[in-house]
Amino acid sequence: MSEGSEPVLRTDGLLKRFGGVTAVDGCGFEVMRDSMTGLIGPNGSGKTTTFDLITGFQRPDKGTIYFEDNRIDGDRPYRIARNGLGRTFQITRVFPQMTVLENLLVGATGTELRSAAARALHLLDLVGLSDLRDEFCSRLSFGQQKLVEMARIHMRPQKLVLLDEPFAGVNPTLTEKLVAYIEKLRGEGTTYLIIDHEMKLIMRICDRILVLDQGKLLTEGSPEEVQTNSQVLSSYFGDK
Amino acid sequence: MTMRSKLRLGALPVIGVAAALAPLFLAGYRLVFFLLMFLHVGLAYSWNLVSGFTGYISFGHVAFFGIGAYVVGILSGIHHWNWLIAVPLAGALVLVISLPLGWLMLRLKGPYFAIGMLAVAQATALVASLWDGLTRGGLGIFVSSSYNVVGVYYGLLIVLAVVMGVTYWVDNSRFGLRLLSIREDESAAEAMGVDTTRDKILAFALSALFPGLIGGLYAWYIGYIDPRSVFSLFFSVNMILMTLLGGAGTFLGPLIGGIAFTFVVESLWVRFPEYHLMSTGLAVIVIVMFIPNGIIDVLKKRGWLTHRRRILTRLIRSVETTPQKKAEVPERV
């Protein structure tokens, strides 16, 4: 599926400081509707902080964030989520002492219960966890927890999903399963912004790449353009 | 509905009728024993509503109990209002106080909330001690000169039935699932669209209402109140202890914990009056070390109880057996 021509997310001049450390420094970019966009950069470049700013978990010191036509910087996270901007976290955060099904139903907060239940059964079938729906999440393997988290975030119709290292620590078989799942949902109208350090994978599945370095947008472009960009190579491998 | 479920549901009205008729057959200490059991179980259920379901451990719920006791003390003891009017007013006042208090206190998390609530309880006790004009300070209030066991017994039975009903609803509702998600991971819950502030405040208010009512009934039962007796930290500690013993964040946990606690405390109180407080401390250590998730968890692990939310089970069954309902799944996923 090709990306749309209008941005679903627009950030401008984002600034976030933690004491003396500037985590995000005047960052501005757009994510086009229906696209799969990668957000890459060395450790500490401000990727997760950018996610936190977009989803309301941190308030920017300066700058604006527009989701569709609504300004959302400073909004509460639950409001942003209910408007169709979902996220996952770097470390899988399922609700361990709740069952798989209960986890999914929490993801549908604010929607009608009966259709939420039907949707949960459908998603569990899609990720192959139907047999485990009454199992506590604490008893699942790491990979199964990743799948629960991925299904849970799609319990409500999402316009944009931010995935923070969805493939970290995941074996190649499950990685391909997750990719297939994401691509299927993308084909049905969800836009994705993905952070990951699996460069080959990101270059393969994304249409566009944003590169952050020291809180600034270093460059953006197609995977081919980014891979040959000298500034990107320098930020990852250092100057020689 | 299975035969087992029918038996279980059928047992509740039978127990209810037996409890309602008990004052016809029981008197003296035996009736007081059940009165105290209702009081303990009711307090455990109240505490469980916020602390058990959301994980916000409150060390200060005695504040609501004490305020409820003082409202009845002032209205009935000093101004001679009928206690049947004073007790609901005590609950209403506590409910009103709990909303802004919850909004303020629930900004704190973990140990800060626990200590903050402890400070609220201490501050409330101090106000009761110092505001002589209203509360008669350290002199206390003689609430009633008569012995009011039967009336209070029924009052506590009604409050207990209501708080159990509310807990059953919470445990089987999406509201309950949202509260549990807050306990498990508040940030993740918010990322799922849960308005955590609103849900926590609602749980906090529900959790404050019942100690207010129970405190009011206790004041009418005990006949004399002062700040030391109705703001005693032991009430808070006992609420925590009973809930943890039975199983926090569950429907049956506070019932099992409250009954077990009443039997143990009353037995020790009668036989070893000088050592019974020590037993409370020992009980805390034993629970935390050996059954941190309560008796309910042990029963579930042994297969004697199943984890099932009746409403969800019914819902899923109905969705699965109605193929056309699948059409309700939005096309996008």
Side-chain angles (χ1 to χ4, degrees), chain B residues 81-97:
Chain B
W81 287 34
N82 188 317
W83 69 282
L84 291 171
I85 296 170
V87 170
L89 281 176
L93 182 74
V94 167
L95 189 65
V96 168
I97 291 171

Side-chain angles (χ1 to χ4, degrees), chain A residues 57 76 78 81-82 93 96-97 102 105 108 111 113-114 119 122-123 133 152 156-158 188-189, chain B residues 174 177-178 184-185 187 190-195 197 307 309 312 315-316 318 320 325 330 332-333:
Chain A
F57 283 91
R76 291 275 308 277
Y78 83 90
R82 287 187 184 186
R93 287 167 81 167
Q97 296 306 317
E102 288 166 1
L105 287 176
T111 64
L113 181 59
R114 194 180 171 82
R119 192 181 177 101
H122 175 72
L123 286 170
R133 73 180 189 204
R152 190 178 67 182
R156 65 174 69 249
Q158 301 284 13
E188 292 168 356
Chain B
R174 294 178 94 186
L177 288 183
R178 295 200 299 272
E184 298 290 293
D185 188 331
S187 298
E190 198 147 2
M192 296 298 110
V194 176
D195 183 351
T197 305
H307 174 84
R309 297 188 202 285
L312 289 186
L315 177 75
I316 294 300
S318 102
E320 281 178 331
K325 287 295 170 192
R332 293 182 60 217
V333 172

Side-chain angles (χ1 to χ4, degrees), chain B residues 69-93:
Chain B
Y70 260 93
V71 170
V72 171
I74 292 164
L75 293 179
S76 296
I78 299 175
H79 298 288
H80 309 294
W81 287 34
N82 188 317
W83 69 282
L84 291 171
I85 296 170
V87 170
L89 281 176
L93 182 74

Side-chain angles (χ1 to χ4, degrees), chain B residues 63 66-79 93 123-143 219 223-231:
Chain B
I67 292 170
Y70 260 93
V71 170
V72 171
I74 292 164
L75 293 179
S76 296
I78 299 175
H79 298 288
L93 182 74
T124 320
L126 207 60
V127 170
S129 295
L130 298 177
W131 197 350
D132 285 355
L134 183 71
T135 64
R136 294 185 179 167
L139 288 175
I141 301 171
F142 285 96
V143 186
Y224 168 79
I225 57 168
D226 68 353
R228 283 186 59 181
S229 63
V230 292
F231 287 102

Side-chain angles (χ1 to χ4, degrees), chain B residues 34-90:
Chain B
F34 282 101
L35 180 151
L36 291 173
M37 184 186 282
F38 296 164
L39 184 138
H40 289 146
V41 175
L43 287 176
Y45 266 104
S46 309
W47 187 84
N48 186 46
L49 278 170
V50 68
S51 298
F53 280 93
T54 70
Y56 276 72
I57 304 296
S58 165
F59 276 96
H61 259 50
V62 70
F64 308 123
F65 179 87
I67 292 170
Y70 260 93
V71 170
V72 171
I74 292 164
L75 293 179
S76 296
I78 299 175
H79 298 288
H80 309 294
W81 287 34
N82 188 317
W83 69 282
L84 291 171
I85 296 170
V87 170
L89 281 176

Side-chain angles (χ1 to χ4, degrees), chain A residues 67-156:
Chain A
F67 175 53
E68 297 192 306
D69 291 328
N70 305 313
R71 187 168 170 178
I72 59 166
D73 46 280
D75 255 13
R76 291 275 308 277
Y78 83 90
R79 284 212 188 104
I80 294 171
R82 287 187 184 186
N83 285 332
L85 201 169
R87 74 168 292 182
T88 62
F89 294 88
Q90 206 166 352
I91 297 163
T92 307
R93 287 167 81 167
V94 291
F95 306 126
Q97 296 306 317
M98 296 172 73
T99 67
V100 170
L101 184 63
E102 288 166 1
N103 262 266
L104 263 63
L105 287 176
V106 171
T109 298
T111 64
E112 196 262 319
L113 181 59
R114 194 180 171 82
S115 64
R119 192 181 177 101
L121 294 182
H122 175 72
L123 286 170
L124 287 176
D125 191 38
L126 199 67
V127 296
L129 291 179
S130 294
D131 294 342
L132 296 172
R133 73 180 189 204
D134 295 322
E135 199 62 67
F136 284 105
C137 279
S138 58
R139 293 181 193 156
L140 303 184
S141 69
F142 176 71
Q144 287 167 330
Q145 290 187 4
K146 282 263 180 194
L147 289 170
V148 170
E149 195 177 39
M150 198 64 86
R152 190 178 67 182
I153 197 66
H154 291 99
M155 275 298 289
R156 65 174 69 249

